[in-house]
Amino acid sequence: MRDWFSPRKLARGIQDRMPAPSTESILRRGLDQLQRRSLTTINSKVLPTHAVLEVHPDLYRRIAPAWPRIACELSTAAAEMAQREGWESSGVSFSLRGNPMLGKWEVDVRPDYPEDDDVITVHTGSVFSTFPDDEPTKVGGIPWETQWFVELPDGSSRELSAGRPLIVGKSSNCDITVRSPHVSRQHVRLFLNPAINAVEIKDLDSTNGTSVDGRAVASHTEVVVRNDTVIGLGDSDRIKLVYRAVKANRR
């Protein structure tokens, strides 16, 4: 379990202390990302008919109650921008999705073009490319998807399934067994919440406690974790939650 104090973690720590963005800031960032991600032709831009606004699960929870209003304002602003710039557009609808790979207050937009377009926009994780006459959701002819995994002390990993809790402990009856004197029989619960596409952990009243990136977690308190998070089980044992791209046809 390396990389506790990497530049990436330091940058995330600085961002966590920044104030949450305002609605106006989210709208401005969303439109800027839409403009950057939209297809560019020789003479113009072509806006998609639908786009997904992606934010970190923490920000998702903040703006979800006001999302209908924000989505409407985004659609109106996109139409005004297209008319002002002379871009091709038949209207853009927006949906909201949590992405734990993003920074806490980061905003990203994924355009969604019909499959019969001449050029289809595809992505792996947050990296976008364009390929003519290719299948959607394929990069270089290979289908990909992103999934949560828990990396274990013995070097193995276990995929998390949405909506299914996993119990970690030293008991052989647990979903994930970590044999260590510092780990309780039922130590911690992992749950991939499909509503926000993020992992929630809960300490199950363990003897030696649970930590998230070095910070203690209160017993029976749910904590939402992000990609590349190290979970401490007692004083010396560690597991790691990662969100990575895998081949969609691997099974």
Side-chain angles (χ1 to χ4, degrees):
M1 303 300 171
R2 306 183 303 273
D3 199 30
W4 277 62
F5 298 103
S6 66
R8 180 182 179 185
K9 284 185 177 291
L10 178 62
R12 289 194 319 199
I14 294 173
Q15 187 183 60
D16 287 352
R17 292 191 290 272
M18 297 175 63
S22 63
T23 300
E24 290 73 18
S25 176
I26 293 171
L27 289 169
R28 186 167 57 252
R29 297 184 199 180
L31 287 175
D32 179 64
Q33 289 293 327
L34 178 67
Q35 178 179 347
R36 292 176 53 217
R37 302 294 197 190
S38 296
L39 294 178
T40 301
T41 65
I42 296 176
N43 299 318
S44 181
K45 275 186 176 291
V46 181
L47 297 189
T49 56
H50 177 258
V52 180
L53 187 80
E54 290 197 337
V55 296
H56 187 272
D58 286 350
L59 185 54
Y60 178 98
R61 288 182 166 180
R62 284 175 174 264
I63 67 177
W67 176 245
R69 175 179 61 84
I70 295 174
C72 182
E73 292 182 8
L74 274 170
S75 295
T76 301
E80 293 174 349
M81 180 174 65
Q83 183 176 18
R84 182 174 62 252
E85 301 293 338
W87 297 338
E88 298 180 36
S89 176
S90 57
V92 186
S93 63
F94 288 86
S95 58
L96 180 66
R97 182 165 62 199
N99 183 349
M101 294 189 72
L102 297 177
K104 189 171 183 179
W105 306 133
E106 190 175 354
V107 176
D108 198 5
V109 169
R110 299 192 179 201
D112 182 16
Y113 288 92
E115 295 184 12
D116 57 354
D117 275 4
D118 292 334
V119 179
I120 297 174
T121 296
V122 297
H123 62 268
T124 300
S126 59
V127 181
F128 282 72
S129 307
T130 56
F131 297 91
D133 304 321
D134 202 355
E135 294 291 330
T137 72
K138 287 188 178 180
V139 176
I142 302 174
W144 292 84
E145 63 184 15
T146 45
Q147 183 57 274
W148 278 98
F149 290 84
V150 54
E151 296 182 346
L152 305 177
D154 62 4
S156 63
S157 63
R158 172 80 175 268
E159 183 176 336
L160 277 67
S161 299
R164 181 191 170 194
L166 294 178
I167 304 300
V168 181
K170 68 180 177 182
S171 171
S172 58
N173 294 325
C174 290
D175 301 293
I176 298 176
T177 302
V178 178
R179 301 194 183 282
S180 168
H182 304 285
V183 176
S184 297
R185 291 181 60 82
Q186 291 190 341
H187 197 108
V188 69
R189 173 183 181 266
L190 309 177
F191 178 69
L192 176 52
N193 188 334
I196 58 175
N197 191 29
V199 178
E200 300 170 342
I201 73 161
K202 179 193 289 186
D203 178 85
L204 300 178
D205 199 22
S206 63
T207 301
N208 294 313
T210 300
S211 64
V212 173
D213 284 339
R215 297 182 180 182
V217 175
S219 179
H220 292 290
T221 300
E222 287 189 347
V223 177
V224 177
V225 299
R226 63 183 68 185
N227 178 44
D228 205 31
T229 292
V230 175
I231 308 299
L233 308 176
D235 298 326
S236 59
D237 297 284
R238 304 283 184 268
I239 60 176
K240 191 174 186 179
L241 291 164
V242 295
Y243 189 68
R244 61 178 181 237
V246 293
K247 293 181 181 179
N249 61 351
R250 69 193 185 284
R251 296 182 179 87

